[in-house]
Amino acid sequence: MIDTMKKRLQSDKRQTALDAGLIIGLCTALPVLALALLGNRWPEALFQASLGDSQILIGCLGAIIGALVYRVARGIRPDRLAASLQIVTALVLTSASYAVVQGVAVYRSTAPGREARETASSWQPLLSLDFNHPVSLPSKEISDFGTGAATQSEGHLDLSLATKRDYTYWYPESGTPAVRDFHLEATITHAQGSEDSYCGLLFGWRDNEHWYAVKLGRTNFEVTRNPGSLPHEPLDGIRELKELSADTPNRVAILALAGRVTVYINDRQVALLDGIDTFGQIRLAGQAAHLAQPLRCSFDDVRLRGVPVA
């Protein structure tokens, strides 16, 4: 009888260890797997740093919460609470905890973009384009430098380029207000193109060869100045954005105030430049470089607020 009780006790211990291992293991593995799958679809919304860091965080959090839920469940009603219920409880608590932590981090990291929008809220609306209604489009441009065309479809504007050398094509050809202090934002999609091609916003535009550019690449961005000759002058250099997915829509914004230019992508501050003469017009642009691959840039929801300069 004593041997039977010992065997039963050992069996109960093994079952307890198996239950604990199952709950903790699943609460570690399932959130990590879910995070990896979601990361392919919503990288900007999910990660403050990188996928690896986030997976480590959610894995540790899941293991700790899974262990705590198991201990509490065993203490309350060890014979009545099924392992499946404990797993579901732990997963819900893990997801809620991570959502709070990540939500706070994303909210804080995107505060600069919201503050810039608030700074410009009292300025005069100067331009608003959502491309849901027909707009005047320039004719196709064919030159020794390349071919550029603007088309409108499904509520956005597409700029398409084909070239074997540095070539910038923009919209509109003329007519935007001249500003010095302004807030410009647009949704940009780098829909097609090579690694050395860019989609972006031109500001301080005075003529075809004098302007500044905020350029969004496949995995990076840069700020440059066209002084009237090639090569263009890099002002912020090329910076990789690991969380950026250029073939999905990204909200790009520029705040120019008293010679200081701040650049935002998805409301996160990515560049700060001082001593810039920002006077001029604005343009939407695509820029191809040396790789002979077609480039297509899509633009939507363009908004310009500023102080017009006579």
Side-chain angles (χ1 to χ4, degrees):
M1 182 176 180
I2 294 176
D3 290 341
T4 302
M5 292 179 63
K6 285 182 178 180
K7 290 180 180 179
R8 182 177 298 173
L9 184 59
Q10 291 174 350
S11 177
D12 290 343
K13 288 181 178 179
R14 283 195 297 270
Q15 187 61 45
T16 298
L18 289 173
D19 289 346
L22 176 64
I23 292 169
I24 295 172
L26 288 177
C27 289
T28 303
L30 292 182
V32 169
L33 177 61
L35 192 64
L37 295 175
L38 290 173
N40 293 325
R41 186 170 183 181
W42 297 298
E44 177 69 15
L46 286 173
F47 310 129
Q48 173 67 7
S50 68
L51 174 60
D53 294 339
S54 298
Q55 285 177 312
I56 292 173
L57 174 61
I58 194 68
C60 293
L61 193 62
I64 293 170
I65 292 180
L68 290 176
V69 168
Y70 176 76
R71 292 283 295 180
V72 171
R74 291 284 296 179
I76 296 175
R77 304 178 72 178
D79 299 327
R80 299 289 299 277
L81 290 176
S84 59
L85 179 58
Q86 296 177 47
I87 292 173
V88 170
T89 303
L91 287 175
V92 169
L93 291 176
T94 301
S95 301
S97 301
Y98 183 73
V100 171
V101 173
Q102 187 65 31
V104 170
V106 170
Y107 182 81
R108 293 181 62 182
S109 69
T110 55
R114 293 191 300 273
E115 292 170 0
R117 203 172 289 113
E118 179 63 25
T119 298
S121 62
S122 61
W123 292 346
Q124 181 180 343
L126 300 176
L127 184 66
S128 179
L129 298 171
D130 58 15
F131 301 107
N132 288 314
H133 303 286
V135 298
S136 177
L137 297 174
S139 58
K140 188 174 183 179
E141 179 179 292
I142 302 175
S143 69
D144 294 338
F145 302 136
T147 301
T151 57
Q152 183 182 356
S153 64
E154 298 180 356
H156 56 80
L157 175 78
D158 285 343
L159 299 183
S160 301
L161 291 78
T163 181
K164 294 182 179 179
R165 57 156 305 219
D166 291 334
Y167 174 54
T168 304
Y169 180 73
W170 52 71
Y171 171 88
E173 293 180 302
S174 62
T176 60
V179 289
R180 178 167 280 114
D181 293 339
F182 66 89
H183 182 259
L184 170 66
E185 57 183 337
T187 300
I188 302 176
T189 305
H190 194 300
Q192 180 184 8
S194 63
E195 292 296 326
D196 64 348
S197 61
Y198 290 93
C199 305
L201 305 173
L202 307 185
F203 66 95
W205 194 96
R206 300 184 184 184
D207 58 52
N208 288 2
E209 297 296 338
H210 293 87
W211 36 262
Y212 296 89
V214 171
K215 305 188 298 186
L216 191 68
R218 301 297 300 171
T219 58
N220 56 60
F221 91 101
E222 64 177 325
V223 183
T224 60
R225 181 175 77 95
N226 181 356
S229 61
L230 293 175
H232 297 168
E233 177 186 350
L235 300 181
D236 193 76
I238 296 176
R239 184 183 307 174
E240 292 186 358
L241 299 177
K242 294 181 179 179
E243 73 276 11
L244 180 65
S245 178
D247 55 357
T248 59
N250 289 279
R251 192 69 176 169
V252 180
I254 305 168
L255 175 66
L257 181 60
R260 168 171 286 191
V261 174
T262 312
V263 181
Y264 309 88
I265 296 180
N266 299 326
D267 280 342
R268 295 180 177 181
Q269 182 176 320
V270 293
L272 178 63
L273 303 166
D274 282 310
I276 304 295
D277 184 2
T278 57
F279 172 73
Q281 298 181 343
I282 65 99
R283 298 287 189 272
L284 314 177
Q287 185 177 85
H290 305 291
L291 297 179
Q293 297 181 19
L295 169 64
R296 182 164 59 90
C297 301
S298 292
F299 299 86
D300 190 16
D301 196 21
V302 181
R303 300 287 181 268
L304 173 66
R305 284 181 173 269
V307 181
V309 179

